[in-house]
Amino acid sequence: MTAQSFAAPPAPYTIDFAPQVDDLHRRLDAARWPEQDVVPEDVDYGEHGAFGLGAGPGLALMKELAQDWRGQDQKQLQDHLNSYVSTTGPCFRTEPLWLTSSSLSYKNYRVEIEGLDIHFLHYPSSRADAFPLILCHGWPGGYHEFLHVLERLTEPKDQESRAFHVVVPSMPGYAFSSPPKTAKWGMEDTARVFDKLMMGLGYAKYAAQGAVHLNFCPVPPPFPLNMFNPRTLLDWMPRFVLPDERRAKLERGVAYIERGSSYYAMQNLTPRTPAYGLNDSPIGLLAWIGEKMIPGIDKAVKHPNATLNREALFTTLSIYWFTGSIGSSFLPYALNPHFGTFLVSPRHHLPNFALSNFPDELFTPEERDARRTGNLRWYKDAEDGGHFAALEKPEVFAEHVREAMGVLLSDQA
């Protein structure tokens, strides 16, 4: 299947925030703040607070973040997101791209697939032996989280290291991809569209990060432990059964369930309700997404040259705001009733997969538990990093992907 399989060839897409910047600034300047913190500062959630922010981001922090977002150079951001533009001609040809030598940098494209406009980046390697790879994002992130790993994956400094032709799509309803037109749309439909994207680009065989290689695998405990309240298990399980290190990992997961998953319930059960407010208020959007990112940012910026920083938060916010896509980004939660069971459902058993465990992730399963998801062929614990692994630890993420694919693709030689 070649590029002619698309209804029309992919078209270059230019991001243009300019018409909306003044309105964003006006709304931020006119924010209607409460006179004091909604919950008094002396509240103590201990280790069970939502994402480490207790009842949510405090008033002083919110005002500081709003001012900093107001000061973000939106023209510079727009130019950055549009910066990798080909100067050597069209990026789409009649032959499969992965068979051609290319010096093209990535560029934004959109293509119609099943009536949806799908946005994606395409970053071919200059290496003829490179293997196609699709990078799949989650929520609350987006395609932009992978910008720091593109060159690491396509043009490794070590010529002995595997190289990849990288495609990074935005999921339907995210960023510059149009949302599904039916409430019957499931993740399997998104997978089908992404497969058509890769096949249309000429990639008959390809690997997937986010599907075949995972860095988030919140598999529930096995029977009969899954029949008990998680907090009860933690409080009563003796230490010779549940060592301290494992207990600490489970504590983080239980804390998320108890105090950090309220957004999940709303995005799953009543997605329209928060969507109206978040689509209309940049302050609401800042609180909703900032709650998830700030704890990781505060830890990451203690290290030099941090790529998970406040600028990354503001980039995420700006993309959601200017595209008006926060509500449609809830659809994977709202339209997938199997969301809580697919990791251990026989129907979704993965015949081959790899898992990177980052210690500050919401859930970090033991290798034996992860194996209940499918045929686990590669497993590795990272020393640092969390939910935004590609953004926070791009060098580690890229190396894990390369190692994992070396195992998963070993039978392709």
Side-chain angles (χ1 to χ4, degrees):
M1 192 177 295
T2 64
Q4 282 84 2
S5 63
F6 294 128
Y13 182 78
T14 301
I15 297 167
D16 184 11
F17 295 152
Q20 303 181 71
V21 172
D22 287 345
D23 178 64
L24 171 63
H25 289 171
R26 178 185 62 79
R27 290 169 183 261
L28 288 170
D29 291 340
R32 183 170 179 252
W33 299 103
E35 293 185 5
Q36 60 186 30
D37 266 310
V38 176
V39 177
E41 293 183 357
D42 60 355
V43 65
D44 181 14
Y45 285 110
E47 296 183 1
H48 309 321
F51 293 94
L53 290 178
L59 182 58
L61 174 61
M62 280 294 298
K63 288 184 175 181
E64 179 183 336
L65 292 172
Q67 183 177 13
D68 289 350
W69 185 18
R70 172 65 168 82
Q72 183 186 37
D73 188 332
Q74 297 296 344
K75 178 62 165 60
Q76 185 180 60
L77 172 61
Q78 175 182 298
D79 290 345
H80 171 66
L81 296 176
N82 283 322
S83 63
Y84 294 90
V85 179
S86 166
T87 59
T88 58
C91 193
F92 293 91
R93 309 173 184 177
T94 56
E95 68 271 30
L97 274 171
W98 63 282
L99 294 178
T100 66
S101 177
S102 174
S103 60
L104 302 176
S105 295
Y106 84 72
K107 189 175 183 179
N108 292 277
Y109 286 90
R110 288 214 302 185
V111 64
E112 182 181 340
I113 303 176
E114 297 189 11
L116 302 179
D117 289 326
I118 299 299
H119 163 258
F120 66 98
L121 303 181
H122 193 195
Y123 201 177
S125 172
S126 64
R127 297 240 311 251
D129 62 343
F131 197 84
L133 172 69
I134 184 172
L135 302 179
C136 304
H137 69 82
W139 190 91
Y143 79 96
H144 59 286
E145 291 187 24
F146 295 113
L147 296 182
H148 294 288
V149 304
L150 292 180
E151 192 167 1
R152 288 179 168 91
L153 292 172
T154 57
E155 306 293 341
K157 295 180 180 179
D158 182 2
Q159 290 299 306
E160 298 299 317
S161 297
R162 185 184 292 272
F164 301 93
H165 301 303
V166 179
V167 176
V168 188
S170 293
M171 285 204 300
Y174 283 70
F176 311 103
S177 287
S178 56
K181 299 178 180 179
T182 172
K184 297 179 181 179
W185 190 273
M187 291 305 295
E188 61 272 20
D189 298 300
T190 296
R192 183 183 64 253
V193 164
F194 283 0
D195 180 62
K196 289 183 177 181
L197 171 64
M198 295 299 284
M199 296 291 284
L201 293 175
Y203 298 138
K205 291 183 178 181
Y206 61 91
Q209 197 291 319
V212 174
H213 171 262
L214 305 178
N215 58 285
F216 183 46
C217 187
V219 59
F223 180 85
L225 297 180
N226 62 344
M227 305 300 292
F228 294 89
N229 180 284
R231 173 60 58 193
T232 301
L233 285 177
L234 272 178
D235 290 345
W236 292 95
M237 189 76 74
R239 276 177 166 71
F240 70 85
V241 176
L242 192 64
D244 288 346
E245 182 179 354
R246 182 58 186 151
R247 185 181 297 272
K249 292 180 178 180
L250 290 177
E251 178 63 56
R252 186 169 55 255
V254 171
Y256 166 77
I257 293 173
E258 291 179 338
R259 301 214 60 89
S261 59
S262 56
Y263 79 95
Y264 180 102
M266 293 194 72
Q267 293 177 186
N268 173 233
L269 300 174
T270 59
R272 290 173 177 164
T273 303
Y276 292 123
L278 301 180
N279 191 67
D280 185 63
S281 168
I283 298 300
L285 184 66
L286 170 60
W288 197 265
I289 293 181
E291 174 192 78
K292 284 74 177 176
M293 295 185 67
I294 283 296
I297 289 171
D298 288 345
K299 182 174 182 179
V301 296
K302 295 177 181 178
H303 302 283
N305 304 316
T307 47
L308 177 61
N309 51 32
R310 288 194 177 186
E311 190 66 25
L313 167 62
F314 303 142
T315 296
T316 300
L317 291 169
S318 292
I319 291 175
Y320 273 114
W321 180 260
F322 292 131
T323 61
S325 61
I326 187 62
S328 55
S329 77
F330 298 164
L331 294 179
Y333 293 80
L335 304 184
N336 291 274
H338 60 276
F339 226 41
T341 59
F342 78 98
L343 285 168
V344 292
S345 169
R347 177 186 173 191
H348 302 285
H349 189 86
L350 295 174
N352 292 291
F353 84 106
L355 175 62
S356 295
N357 247 353
F358 288 83
D360 293 328
E361 182 56 273
L362 299 175
F363 296 93
T364 51
E366 295 290 314
E367 182 175 356
R368 63 183 181 183
D369 290 333
R371 290 188 180 279
R372 292 166 46 232
T373 295
N375 178 23
L376 181 62
R377 296 181 57 190
W378 183 92
Y379 176 96
K380 192 170 186 176
D381 287 312
E383 295 182 359
D384 197 10
H387 192 63
F388 304 92
L391 181 58
E392 182 179 359
K393 296 292 178 182
E395 68 288 345
V396 177
F397 179 88
E399 189 54 38
H400 276 209
V401 169
R402 184 170 285 112
E403 286 184 22
M405 293 309 172
V407 174
L408 295 174
L409 298 176
S410 59
D411 57 357
Q412 299 291 319

